[in-house]
Amino acid sequence: AGLSDRLVKEFVAPTLQVGLFKPPNELSAAVAMELLYFYALAHQTAFDVRWIKKRSIAELLIAPLAERLIERHNLDVRAKCFVRSIDVDDATKKVTSITYADGAAGGEEKCLENVDAVVLALGAKGMKAVVGGSPKLAKACPELCKACSLNAIDVLACRIWLDKYVDTLEPANVLSRFEGLLGAGGTFFMLDQLQKDDEQLLWG
């Protein structure tokens, strides 16, 4: 969508990895744009971009995108709707309908039938709510139940004690694009540089 492979590899992917701990292919466009807007674009002096001064990402980017998809591809966009449950046929193990709360109608419960497929673009909390209200789905897809047992995002924080001082250009920075990371990314903080005025407290 107008992004070069180099831009994605060297900027977009590392930024999303550090900010949301997920690669671009596992994030929705809306979430990615929100993160890039607040995490990267807000630093006007560091990036050559046009700053959005009025209105929101939803108004300037998401709404026009939705309108275009509706106009060109006959897409049915239902805003302010929250899935309550997903029904699955016991015999075929396929989704048959979705029950959702329509926020635009005061939370009225509605049903969407004759469903061909469902994409679960949900976090751990949302997944718990949907699977918890969908016993047939939970039975048909035990891996979703395992996903619901996760109480956090896929991130690990650890302190590594080095046996010597390591000189770096900055005391904190992003790390990515190393083959050994297998697609992951992170941020390092050199505490001995950040807290050099009180090393006794740092090292104990």
Side-chain angles (χ1 to χ4, degrees), residues 49-166:
V49 298
R50 183 177 295 277
W51 176 249
I52 298 177
K53 297 181 179 180
K54 297 181 180 179
R55 295 187 291 175
S56 65
I57 291 291
E59 293 174 301
L60 293 177
L61 297 177
I62 302 300
L65 174 61
E67 291 171 2
R68 183 169 182 173
L69 291 173
I70 292 171
E71 180 182 345
R72 295 192 177 187
H73 303 285
N74 196 31
L75 187 70
D76 182 7
V77 178
R78 305 189 182 190
K80 299 181 180 180
C81 291
F82 304 92
V83 175
R84 291 279 177 80
S85 64
I86 298 175
D87 195 23
V88 177
D89 184 271
D90 292 326
T92 63
K93 306 298 183 184
K94 293 184 178 181
V95 175
T96 57
S97 64
I98 297 174
T99 301
Y100 64 94
D102 189 346
E108 178 184 349
E109 192 169 281
K110 297 183 178 181
C111 184
L112 182 64
E113 299 180 331
N114 300 319
V115 177
D116 295 319
V118 174
V119 177
L120 295 174
L122 301 168
K125 184 177 180 180
M127 184 73 76
K128 285 182 180 179
V130 172
V131 176
S134 312
K136 290 185 178 181
L137 176 66
K139 182 179 179 181
C141 304
E143 64 275 13
L144 293 181
C145 294
K146 293 181 179 179
C148 292
S149 67
L150 299 175
N151 292 319
I153 54 179
D154 303 327
V155 58
L156 172 68
C158 63
R159 176 178 288 195
I160 301 175
W161 303 86
L162 304 176
D163 60 0
K164 62 181 180 180
Y165 180 84
V166 177

